Amino acid sequence: MSRPSARKAAPKGEYIETDSGNKVSRRSAITGTANITLGGRTVIMADVHLRGDLHPTRAVPSSSGKEVTPTSISIGRCTVISTGSVIKPPSRISRGQVHYYPMKIGDNVFVGPHCTISAISIASHVHIGDHTTIHPFVIIKENVKILPNTVIPANMVIPSGSVVGGRPARVVGEVGEGWGVSGGGAGVGGGLGVGGGGEKSWVEGGDLRELVRSIK
Amino acid sequence: MAQPFPYTYYSCDCYDSKVAPNPPKRASQPPPADDEDERTFDPRNARSNYSLYPLEHLLYCEDCQQIRCQRCVIEETLNWFCPSCLFEVPSSVIKSDGNRCTRNCYNCPVCTSPMTVNTLEDPTDPSSSGGPWILACPYCQWSTVEIGIEFEKHTGITSQLSRIANGGKTIPTAKERDKERERRKEIEMRKKDRDYFSGSEDSPSTDKDEGITPSHDDLFSNLSAFYKSQMASQTPSNPFSPHEINFSSPSSFSRIMNLYSSTTHKKQKREKPSPMREAASVHEGLNIHDPATDAAAIERIKRSGWSSTLSSSQKLAQPNPSIRFDSELRPVASLLQTKRGKRCRNCRHILSKPESKITSTRYKIKLLALNHIPRLSIRALSPIPLTTTQPVLYDYDRLRSGIPTHFLLHLSNPLFDPIRVTLATPSTTPGKIQSRVTILCPQFDVGANTDVWDDALSSTLSPIKKPTSIGPDGNPQTSIEAGKIWDRGRNWTSVVLEVVPGFLIQPLGSKEEEELEEDEDVLEIPIFVRLEFEADVNAEERGLGDSRGTEGKREKREEAFWTVVGVGRIVGN
Ligand SMILES: [Zn+2]
Ligand SMILES: [Zn+2]
Ligand SMILES: [Zn+2]
Ligand SMILES: [Zn+2]
């Protein structure tokens, strides 16, 4: 269900796998690769656009005096960015100049298809439904579920444990105590059907290792 | 909360069993043909909405050995915090200042989005403070400029806002209000005296002072001052109030004495308070309806149209919910949130307790139902042989009427003991669209939840998962056999469920063509799950894993609950 639709078999396989186990689709658009860090076992699907070229321009003080490449997007481990999503660091105009700020995304974050994300920080175990727009400088804390088609207005802070939805977004509920806990039911090779049911062997907000493994 | 298909909800029967104060009857196993068991759970019953939960929302009381839902737990607030600035608010402040953030956190009165403090500074003519400042909505672009409010500083918005009325006028402080009230009172008294002497008669409505209608806050403070004065005149001195203890007053002295002498205490019951007088003027909080304001409101709607009026939800979010026009809107201070612990309503044991620090997401105690009852899930058994890399996505939103469809019911066991499961379901689903349902193997065993590594090792030796086009016994999957499980693994078993989705249109001969209501085309199957297993008598520290090795006695246990499986939406042929 969360898998992207319409994926043609690329001749060399859909994904390029890095040494640390990141899987990056050959059909993704990544600009400014030097300014992007991926934590390992993270998936970047087709038609995802990572705007690493929009990096902070202010002088970064470095001890060695060498020039340091500024980081614009840092993504943690086992995070999945689904088809067609755009990750664009937030910017602010000051004294007539556009300044970009580095964006941080944590571990085990699921970004659904066709999202546009300009948050300043997204903590771990966050599940973002499809077609969600996150405006600049939004802060999302741990264990948050964002319902599909949500628009989160700029600068909004979403406390941990919230379920968020609507346009503009508001907190509509709390994730249960069992959020992200797959329980004894999930296991390595445990077949199908953890989660709300159905085809996935992972739970929203939980460890996405299984999902990452299944993506080929 | 709507979930995509397929989903499973678990029913907590606490409403029906009413959470008895005596120990649960579960120990004495009720006979299986109990009338309680005969009654089918109807997911379409209006009441069912309140008993169905996703598994991750349910807790489990190990003492009562029962599921606990939001209705059968007691919540205890650990602390309050602002969802926007994430500052903790002490409970003493909650009592004095209410449940809203008193920092700079405001929500847009038009669209509810959190607002930001922006500057209106002219870059060509910068001010020393960087201001003036406004509260602005980043979502709908509404700002306090529209109600004529600007701030001098970018911090302490709450205290600044409390002093500025819409339009920029200063709101008097409580002290100033009190002074003003006294002054008015005096003027009125003098006027009355004058009127008395001059003999002219005035109607009481003339004390509309200088034609200004008092604000909501004015009226409130006037009324509360009036009530306080009335209370004070009822009880001339209050022995409990430290400021008003007056030992020279005989009444307060006798009252204090009463506190220490129990004999006289009962006799001298407090006299019945005489009824208070009602507020009689504006400075006492009386608000006399003026038809002219209605006329003015109508005139205003004529002039600026409906768009200047407010929706009911916008009004309700306002501190004064009786306002009508967008010019009267005030930014809404953010409502605080709480961190809460939960206890079993029956035995008061703690079921969940988060760490009290706001920034922490950990729990000190968390007894989850998903560690105690099996997880039931469903998925379509695709008729097309699928490759493991690219599963054919089944469209759960388009179930075809009248076509037998096979689904896999997957049951995984979180317990460290093997369980015997009996599933039951009505042969036709409740509701207007009657779908036929058959569980091909309603009774089966599920293995214990042993160490994950056992499974990892065994799966490398002999893969559990055979190509899906082949059944577990080597037969091609077209031969789904009744009475046999579909597949099994370490702690899970799957069985086949056959569903014949019903018809949206009633067949001819039915009394009348009834209109289908919303979501009546959703195929939801109630499934009764009953488990039997043997567990250690003292298996309280389950989850620590090694309770199996102890030489404790084993006891037979049983657990039963209803679930509702949302399979999909029927679209006809
Ligand atoms: Zn309950
Ligand atoms: Zn706040
Ligand atoms: Zn707004
Ligand atoms: Zn209990």
Side-chain angles (χ1 to χ4, degrees), chain B residues 12 14 69 72:
Chain B
C12 179
C14 58
C69 72
C72 50

Side-chain angles (χ1 to χ4, degrees), chain B residues 49 83 138 174 198 281 374 389 448 523:
Chain B
N49 250 337
S198 63
S281 65
T389 50
L523 174 59

Side-chain angles (χ1 to χ4, degrees), chain B residues 281-333:
Chain B
S281 65
V282 172
H283 67 242
E284 288 175 352
L286 177 69
N287 188 18
I288 295 162
H289 177 70
D290 186 359
T293 58
D294 282 350
I298 292 166
E299 206 43 52
R300 177 130 186 232
I301 295 172
K302 270 189 201 161
R303 206 171 54 239
S304 29
W306 285 118
S307 59
S308 69
T309 61
L310 305 175
S311 74
S312 51
S313 61
Q314 286 169 340
K315 281 186 207 171
L316 284 172
Q318 286 289 307
N320 174 12
S322 54
I323 60 169
R324 286 179 170 145
F325 294 102
D326 55 3
S327 62
E328 295 163 284
L329 285 172
R330 301 279 288 179
V332 184

